[in-house]
């Protein structure tokens, strides 16, 4: 939901809070199971068939949560479509837990007490959210439809797709979208990609073959394949930045910056640092160099880590009015963010990290 992206300053941060709340919830469930027998006079609570059954379901729910989360820890070894199945199975132990709460509690949660109202609200939100994800999300949010009308391979592992949509997608340069490519043999689950250009009716996305899905797209995607889109997302906003800007891109992280450069002449002073590992990963290098040669306000620095030392921003000072935008791998961006802020205390640094875990 767009409002959460705004509140947490980026969809990747929503995922981080989601994960941390899930970890906290599991810890509390385990603690609850361990200390329940230590509650004074617990054995004097009236036992019924409902309460005994609810107690058993509570134990099953706890074991179910633990088992599914242990499986999730191995997500990097699973195909995304398989991981999604395990993630959705969490609804089963959640249902067991709700039944357990209502029918084994020493408090009557069906009464309109503060605790009863709180439990009813959270349980309702939980069930509605789960059912929404299972039944309605794919239809309600993927409302932009179109076809792949252009395919260009930019190297041994990078491909650019031109998407022609049935209606205009309003987006801001630097944002990304979730795409479902509806071609037999390709995973139907949505995947996020930065918009690298376009006018809204036509959208360009540049994809690097890093995993099973993106490798399959690179090898076998076909013209006229139907697509559906959800978005746009992303909080990078070059237009609202200062007149003086520094851009930092790592590998495929160059794509959100391309959207801005290809749409209009630069009207502010921008210096781009583009780091990559080997020439095969230096996509759009010729375009960037030509752009710098013809625009005095734009400067580009190419850092090939197979030929030079890794990019560093130690003792890199800029004026307090400078806006810094970064996109690339999360570990790299957090390292640069720390370096930049160590010698520029009041500087504005915005970045989009490639991580949704």
């Amino acid at each position: 939901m767009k409002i959460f992206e705004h509140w947490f300053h980026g969809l990747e941060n929503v995922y981080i809070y989601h994960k941390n709340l899930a970890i906290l919830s599991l810890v509390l469930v385990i603690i609850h199971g361990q200390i329940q027998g230590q509650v004074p006079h617990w054995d004097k609570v009236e036992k019924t068939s409902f309460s005994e059954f609810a107690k058993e379901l509570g134990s099953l729910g706890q074991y179910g949560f633990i088992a599914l989360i242990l499986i999730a820890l191995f997500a990097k070894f699973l195909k995304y479509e398989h991981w999604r199945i395990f993630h959705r199975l969490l609804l089963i132990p959640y249902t067991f837990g709700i039944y357990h709460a209502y029918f084994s509690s020493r408090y009557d949660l069906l009464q309109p007490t503060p605790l009863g109202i709180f439990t009813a609200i959270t349980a309702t939100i939980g069930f509605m959210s789960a059912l929404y994800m299972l039944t309605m999300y794919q239809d309600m949010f993927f409302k932009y439809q179109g076809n792949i009308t252009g395919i260009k391979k930019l190297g041994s592992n990078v491909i650019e797709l031109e998407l022609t949509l049935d209606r205009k997608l309003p987006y801001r340069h630097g944002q990304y979208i979730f795409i479902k490519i509806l071609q037999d043999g390709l995973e139907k689950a949505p995947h996020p990609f930065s918009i690298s250009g376009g006018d809204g009716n036509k959208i360009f996305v540049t994809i690097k073959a890093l995993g099973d899905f993106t490798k399959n797209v690179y090898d076998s995607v076909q013209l006229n394949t139907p697509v559906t889109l959800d978005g746009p997302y992303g909080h990078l906003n070059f237009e609202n930045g200062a007149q003086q800007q520094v851009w930092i891109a790592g590998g495929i992280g160059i794509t959100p910056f391309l959207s801005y450069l290809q749409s209009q002449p630069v009207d502010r002073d921008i210096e781009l640092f583009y780091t990559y590992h080997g020439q095969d990963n230096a996509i759009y290098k010729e375009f960037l160099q030509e752009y710098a040669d013809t625009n005095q306000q734009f400067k580009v620095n190419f850092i090939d880590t197979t030929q030079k030392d890794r990019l560093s921003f130690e003792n890199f000072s800029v004026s307090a009015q400078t806006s810094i935008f970064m996109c690339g791998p999360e570990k790299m961006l957090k390292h640069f963010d720390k370096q930049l802020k160590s010698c520029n205390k009041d500087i504005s640094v915005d970045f989009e990290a490639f991580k949704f875990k």
Side-chain angles (χ1 to χ4, degrees):
M1 297 177 70
K2 300 293 180 66
I3 191 169
F4 289 118
E5 183 194 24
H6 177 72
W7 286 350
F8 291 95
H9 198 59
L11 196 58
E12 72 276 11
N13 292 325
V14 176
Y15 278 75
I16 291 170
Y17 281 96
H18 171 80
K19 179 180 72 173
N20 291 336
L21 282 172
I23 292 171
L24 175 62
S25 298
L26 180 64
V27 169
L28 292 175
V29 166
I30 294 173
I31 291 175
H32 164 74
Q34 294 301 312
I35 69 172
Q36 179 174 299
Q38 301 176 30
V39 176
H41 309 299
W42 181 262
D43 56 345
K44 295 182 181 180
V45 176
E46 182 183 357
K47 296 181 179 179
T48 65
S49 59
F50 277 115
S51 64
E52 289 298 301
F53 182 57
K55 184 178 180 181
E56 295 299 323
L57 281 185
S59 297
L60 285 175
Q62 176 177 298
Y63 297 143
F65 273 125
I66 293 172
L68 290 171
I69 289 172
L70 286 175
I71 292 172
L73 291 176
F74 296 94
K76 63 181 179 180
F77 302 110
L78 298 172
K79 288 187 176 181
Y80 178 66
E81 56 191 304
H82 296 155
W83 177 86
R84 288 173 71 239
I85 294 172
F86 287 114
H87 188 270
R88 280 153 175 70
L89 287 175
L90 285 168
L91 178 59
I92 297 173
Y94 179 74
T95 303
F96 290 170
I98 294 298
Y99 187 95
H100 168 78
Y102 271 98
F103 294 104
S104 71
S105 174
R106 63 190 298 176
Y107 304 102
D108 187 354
L109 297 178
L110 295 174
Q111 295 299 316
T113 60
L115 181 60
I117 293 171
F118 172 80
T119 305
I121 291 174
T122 54
T124 301
I125 292 173
F127 275 115
M128 289 180 64
S129 299
L131 294 174
Y132 162 75
M133 286 299 298
L134 288 170
T135 61
M136 300 170 61
Y137 164 67
Q138 303 287 354
D139 295 327
M140 288 184 63
F141 269 66
F142 287 83
K143 51 192 177 184
Y144 296 96
Q145 301 178 355
N147 294 86
I148 297 174
T149 52
I151 299 174
K152 182 189 296 183
K153 292 192 174 180
L154 304 178
S156 60
N157 61 356
V158 179
I159 189 171
E160 180 187 82
L161 302 181
E162 177 192 75
L163 313 177
T164 301
L165 307 180
D166 58 359
R167 61 192 179 107
K168 188 171 184 177
L169 171 73
Y171 75 95
R172 189 178 65 245
H173 304 301
Q175 292 189 299
Y176 60 90
I177 49 179
F178 284 85
I179 305 175
K180 291 197 294 183
I181 301 177
L182 307 178
Q183 177 179 310
D184 290 340
L186 293 179
E187 182 183 305
K188 299 299 189 294
H191 291 263
F193 298 107
S194 294
I195 299 171
S196 56
D199 59 7
N201 293 310
K202 287 185 182 294
I203 295 292
F204 292 89
V205 293
T206 306
I207 301 170
K208 185 174 182 180
L210 294 171
D212 291 339
F213 174 74
T214 49
K215 288 177 182 176
N216 287 337
V217 170
Y218 181 88
D219 292 335
S220 60
V221 72
Q222 299 173 7
L223 283 172
N224 299 318
T225 296
V227 294
T228 59
L229 278 57
D230 171 28
Y233 297 96
H235 58 271
L236 295 182
N237 192 335
F238 310 129
E239 288 87 347
N240 281 358
Q243 184 65 26
Q244 184 83 24
Q245 297 187 10
V246 172
W247 293 355
I248 303 167
I252 195 67
I254 191 64
T255 49
F257 302 109
L258 290 169
S259 174
Y260 181 84
L261 293 177
Q262 295 188 95
S263 67
Q264 60 193 53
V266 168
D267 59 354
R268 58 199 71 204
D269 297 320
I270 298 172
E271 182 171 10
L272 167 65
F273 293 87
Y274 181 23
T275 179
Y276 48 86
H277 189 73
Q279 291 301 317
D280 282 348
N281 293 308
I283 59 173
Y284 300 103
K285 184 178 179 181
E286 291 182 3
F287 167 80
L288 293 168
Q289 186 61 68
E290 182 180 344
Y291 199 97
D293 292 341
T294 56
N295 292 268
Q296 293 184 349
Q297 290 181 280
F298 180 74
K299 179 182 178 182
V300 61
N301 304 280
F302 297 108
I303 301 94
D304 182 349
T305 56
T306 64
Q307 305 292 329
K308 302 179 181 179
D309 292 336
R310 290 183 180 275
L311 181 60
S312 174
F313 290 96
E314 289 185 9
N315 303 317
F316 182 82
S317 297
V318 294
S319 67
Q321 290 73 39
T322 302
S323 295
I324 297 181
F325 297 98
M326 304 190 294
C327 188
E330 182 189 42
K331 186 176 180 180
M332 181 192 82
L333 300 188
K334 287 187 173 180
H335 178 64
F336 289 161
D337 183 57
K338 185 176 180 181
Q339 287 184 333
L340 289 162
K341 289 181 177 177
S342 67
C343 51
N344 302 277
K345 299 299 183 182
D346 299 321
I347 203 164
S348 167
V349 180
D350 282 318
F351 62 85
E352 206 89 72
F354 293 156
K355 185 173 182 181
F356 290 94
K357 295 181 181 178

